[in-house]
Amino acid sequence: TWIIPEDEWLQESKQICERWRLSHLSGPTLPEPWLPLLPAWKTSVPGVHLFRIPDIYPIGADGYVGQTIEDTLRGWKLAECEHLDEWFHIVGKANSPRNRIERFGRFFRLQHYWRLLHERHAGSLRQCKGLLVAAFANFFDVSEDRIKADLRLIGGQLGGEWAMRPCPLSQA
């Protein structure tokens, strides 16, 4: 068998995370993107703070400051970022439905964790859907009705018994 030396594997992992703006992988199918640090550093000048905002992060602020941040993050096109063009379009200020990103992030994490729990503990979860919905509502800080609606929407997109099927990414 062929084994990649640890330092080579680690370097390749760092390059992949950097390329796709990931802080780490919580699991094989659960990437965690870079998040802003607000405020990141205090400066020696009173009243001035430095912030770290990744270019993949949507900017919600309007006005001069919001436009300046948007222009700074995505104002020029770098050849090494072309693979992120579609994402930059989604999070750009010109895309008015960008406020749905948080909701879609919740869908992704909900279906991921819901599927994992059912894959590993299906027998134990048969009579516990209400408790599981309550736990997810608490975890995501939304109502139980919101989680139920999210699960209906996910089920409508992925079909019945979606949680019992293996994750498509794990079959690759």
Side-chain angles (χ1 to χ4, degrees):
T1 57
W2 184 68
I3 299 174
I4 300 173
E6 186 176 322
D7 58 338
E8 185 180 331
W9 176 86
L10 189 58
Q11 191 63 22
E12 287 179 14
S13 296
K14 285 179 182 178
Q15 288 173 347
I16 289 169
C17 284
E18 214 171 275
R19 175 177 167 81
W20 293 102
R21 311 313 200 254
L22 304 174
S23 64
H24 63 282
L25 297 172
S26 292
T29 60
L30 190 59
E32 297 288 343
W34 287 343
L35 294 175
L37 292 176
L38 307 171
W41 301 275
K42 277 188 152 185
T43 66
S44 59
V45 178
V48 176
H49 301 273
L50 298 176
F51 299 89
R52 185 192 83 175
I53 304 174
D55 60 359
I56 60 168
Y57 200 76
I59 302 302
D62 289 325
Y64 177 76
V65 172
Q67 191 59 52
T68 302
I69 293 171
E70 178 79 18
D71 291 345
T72 301
L73 293 179
R74 291 178 275 280
W76 57 83
K77 187 171 177 146
L78 301 175
E80 65 266 14
C81 296
E82 286 179 358
H83 62 289
L84 295 171
D85 280 349
E86 289 180 57
W87 179 252
F88 290 153
H89 173 72
I90 291 169
V91 298
K93 282 191 84 66
N95 184 19
S96 59
R98 71 183 181 283
N99 60 353
R100 297 183 197 159
I101 293 170
E102 186 176 317
R103 180 174 173 232
F104 290 133
R106 185 180 67 242
F107 288 167
F108 179 82
R109 292 185 357 226
L110 175 61
Q111 68 81 29
H112 175 81
Y113 290 127
W114 194 272
R115 184 188 309 267
L116 273 177
L117 284 168
H118 281 81
E119 184 180 302
R120 296 178 183 175
H121 307 287
S124 302
L125 297 174
R126 282 200 177 94
Q127 303 295 323
C128 301
K129 184 174 181 182
L131 291 172
L132 200 53
V133 166
F136 275 101
N138 186 47
F139 177 74
F140 289 117
D141 195 24
V142 296
S143 71
E144 290 181 28
D145 288 339
R146 177 76 273 152
I147 295 297
K148 289 175 187 175
D150 290 353
L151 289 169
R152 280 192 301 274
L153 184 65
I154 292 168
Q157 295 295 314
L158 300 179
E161 300 298 317
W162 64 269
M164 303 309 280
R165 292 191 307 265
C167 177
L169 295 175
S170 63
Q171 296 175 347

